[in-house]
Amino acid sequence: MPQVLVLGAGKIGSLIAGLLSAEGQYQVHLADLTLDAPKRLVDQLSLSTVTPCALDVRRADSVAHYVTAHRFDAVISSLPYFCNPAVAEIARAHRLHYFDLTEDVAVTGRVRAISEDSERVFIPQCGLAPGYISIVTNDLIGHFESIDCVKMRVGALPVHPSNALKYSLTWSTDGLINEYGNICAGIEGGQKVQLQPLEGYETIELDGLLYEAFNTSGGLGTLADTYRGRVQTMNYKTLRYPGHCEKIHFLMKDLKLNEDRETLKRLLERAIPQTHQDVVLIYAAVTGTRQGELFEETYVKKVYPRTILGRLWSAIQVTTASSLCCVVDLVMAKPADYRGFVTQEQFQLQDVLNNRFGACFRA
């Protein structure tokens, strides 16, 4: 039975530990800064194959001692993105497979550098976007002889919005601000380009409901590097209810809170509620040629909250944790097939859908 260390017992890490342990195929250690959160989860959900522990990745010596004592096969970071390079260094030093959820482009670059010549896998960006959307889009691209345009759109939204932003905090506030404030990647004219966040505004209608979409950072994952020179246009945009982008632009640009992210984080967490009543929207569209004719193919999916292990989990928790668990499971089933830095688009969509952790994407 593989031994896995999950770092971070927050919204996503808790469900990752629950999913992996529920199948009875993984021995999981769930770590947080104190024992409170992991022990509470283990007790409330009766997770007999999860061991709660207290670890701080800023104290590398204590983490190294714990890793050595328990002989782990893999480490999963569900910590804030800025903690991941330290976790990757620990994985490299102790010959562990490494997985994370980061959307941060610079952090992904650092993980890639740390993984160089490693015999173990290093797989960042294992969540929803980047992550599952990358796998879906890569699958669609494979249905064409040549590619003109690739559009990727993802949103996690409250089902019943009740505030001016028409939004609820369903995942990491640090990650949210990062997406809204950092430079975005894309492909234009076949070349990889930088795009401004909160720009590229458009509207899109799905199932009769109108949404807005705009550039955000990180969701494209590594696809721009994989497909530059082979795709004319590729971009990733976040989906929100109409009016959200204008207000975020006011906060981050007009009030200059992108330059004071700690203040912005405090404001958002004080004023914007959390919710388990959310919906995740996943949309990908590819236009290209088949047998010399122009075609378009789309993928559209809505995922709602689910009860797992007797507890209701939000749609963003379910999709993010499930996508990561699929990738972990595929690697651990055939570890000899993978080594070094591995991108999300190296995984086949059908393998993810057929995986025991892929149920939320099949329904």
Side-chain angles (χ1 to χ4, degrees):
M1 184 182 296
Q3 295 244 50
V4 177
L5 173 62
V6 178
L7 295 172
K11 297 182 182 75
I12 309 301
S14 294
L15 183 53
I16 290 170
L19 286 172
L20 290 176
S21 66
E23 288 291 326
Q25 301 297 314
Y26 290 88
Q27 184 68 46
V28 179
H29 289 231
L30 178 61
D32 211 288
L33 288 175
T34 70
L35 268 177
D36 295 345
K39 188 175 188 306
R40 184 167 56 249
L41 182 82
V42 168
D43 292 343
Q44 290 177 350
L45 302 186
S46 301
L47 302 177
S48 60
T49 58
V50 176
T51 301
C53 55
L55 291 174
D56 185 344
V57 297
R58 294 169 297 185
R59 300 176 59 192
D61 290 346
S62 63
V63 177
H65 178 76
Y66 192 86
V67 167
T68 301
H70 292 88
R71 307 176 78 174
F72 292 108
D73 299 289
V75 59
I76 298 169
S77 176
S78 58
L79 298 170
Y81 69 91
F82 47 80
C83 297
N84 288 335
V87 179
E89 292 281 10
I90 292 168
R92 181 63 192 257
H94 295 274
R95 297 173 56 81
L96 307 179
H97 296 302
Y98 169 90
F99 306 86
D100 75 33
L101 297 165
T102 190
E103 77 295 325
D104 188 85
V105 177
V107 166
T108 298
R110 291 181 65 186
V111 171
R112 183 192 290 267
I114 292 167
S115 71
E116 189 173 350
D117 298 324
S118 173
E119 295 181 358
R120 297 294 187 266
V121 300
F122 284 74
I123 313 181
Q125 306 181 329
C126 293
L128 174 62
Y132 183 70
I133 187 63
S134 309
I135 297 169
V136 166
T137 303
N138 186 66
D139 181 77
L140 287 179
I141 289 173
H143 301 170
F144 293 83
E145 295 159 0
S146 64
I147 308 299
D148 179 34
C149 182
V150 177
K151 298 178 181 179
M152 302 158 63
R153 311 287 186 261
V154 176
L157 300 169
V159 175
H160 308 293
S162 61
N163 55 65
L165 286 176
K166 300 179 183 178
Y167 190 70
S168 295
L169 295 177
T170 55
W171 62 295
S172 163
T173 309
D174 288 309
L176 179 72
I177 295 172
N178 211 32
E179 286 191 350
Y180 285 170
N182 289 357
I183 292 295
C184 313
I187 295 177
E188 293 182 355
Q191 300 301 311
K192 184 178 178 181
V193 296
Q194 291 187 338
L195 304 171
Q196 289 298 314
L198 307 180
E199 302 296 335
Y201 184 89
E202 66 185 36
T203 57
I204 181 173
E205 191 170 305
L206 299 174
D207 292 340
L209 292 177
L210 185 68
Y211 303 94
E212 64 181 21
F214 49 89
N215 297 338
T216 52
S217 180
L220 202 65
T222 54
L223 283 174
D225 293 315
T226 300
Y227 282 105
R228 59 182 166 184
R230 293 191 282 162
V231 171
Q232 285 301 302
T233 303
M234 175 184 284
N235 53 59
Y236 172 88
K237 299 181 182 182
T238 286
L239 292 168
R240 295 288 185 259
Y241 293 120
H244 180 89
C245 182
E246 181 182 17
K247 296 176 178 64
I248 290 295
H249 192 285
F250 173 74
L251 289 170
M252 299 195 73
K253 300 292 183 68
D254 296 349
L255 296 186
K256 302 186 184 302
L257 289 178
N258 194 34
E259 302 168 16
D260 186 1
R261 295 188 179 188
E262 284 302 314
T263 296
L264 179 58
K265 180 180 178 180
R266 288 196 303 272
L267 289 172
L268 292 174
E269 292 185 343
R270 184 182 305 151
I272 305 301
Q274 300 183 40
T275 186
H276 284 157
Q277 295 174 296
D278 66 334
V279 57
V280 163
L281 309 169
I282 308 170
Y283 172 91
V286 176
T287 304
T289 58
R290 294 177 182 166
Q291 298 180 337
E293 296 185 321
L294 187 65
F295 274 86
E296 180 182 48
E297 186 173 352
T298 61
Y299 174 100
V300 181
K301 183 118 191 114
K302 284 187 176 182
V303 181
Y304 290 92
R306 289 191 167 211
T307 299
I308 300 171
L309 299 168
R311 173 185 290 187
L312 182 68
W313 304 84
S314 70
I316 188 63
Q317 287 175 296
V318 171
T319 50
T320 303
S322 296
S323 183
L324 180 139
C325 288
C326 286
V327 169
V328 170
D329 205 39
L330 290 170
V331 170
M332 298 310 293
K334 296 181 178 180
D337 290 355
Y338 306 91
R339 62 180 297 166
F341 187 85
V342 178
T343 66
Q344 295 299 307
E345 53 266 29
Q346 290 177 245
F347 295 94
Q348 299 301 309
L349 177 60
Q350 206 55 50
D351 291 339
V352 172
L353 296 177
N354 291 337
N355 188 268
R356 52 188 162 182
F357 298 112
C360 72
F361 303 116
R362 293 194 298 266

